[in-house]
Amino acid sequence: MNIAINNYFNYLEMKYQNRIRNQWVFTVIALIALIGVFGYAFYCSSRGASFAGGIKFGFPKLIEVSFNCKK
């Protein structure tokens, strides 16, 4: 029974191996983007300015992202 389960997991891993790799790439890119946003916010606020950022979802632009650093 245990061998059958291991074979099934190996089959699923081989079948979805490409998708798993793509998910890790997306995760790394998202983490780099978040670190960049927080780094920019820290830099902006450490210089005595105010940081404002936002994401808008709508039409005709599907996603609009804005970052502002105002003194």
Side-chain angles (χ1 to χ4, degrees):
M1 182 71 174
N2 194 14
I3 294 172
I5 292 173
N6 285 337
N7 286 339
Y8 181 68
F9 284 138
N10 287 337
Y11 165 74
L12 288 176
E13 186 174 334
M14 287 188 317
K15 183 178 179 182
Y16 295 107
Q17 188 174 16
N18 207 14
R19 182 175 284 174
I20 291 170
R21 272 195 219 121
N22 290 342
Q23 182 180 3
W24 278 108
V25 168
F26 177 74
T27 303
V28 168
I29 290 172
L31 283 175
I32 290 171
L34 283 175
I35 290 170
V37 168
F38 285 117
Y40 183 65
F42 177 75
Y43 171 78
C44 184
S45 61
S46 69
R47 299 287 183 219
S50 63
F51 175 78
I55 299 175
K56 293 180 184 178
F57 298 101
F59 184 80
K61 295 180 182 178
L62 186 60
I63 299 174
E64 185 177 335
V65 180
S66 63
F67 300 112
N68 295 322
C69 187
K70 296 181 182 179
K71 283 198 173 198

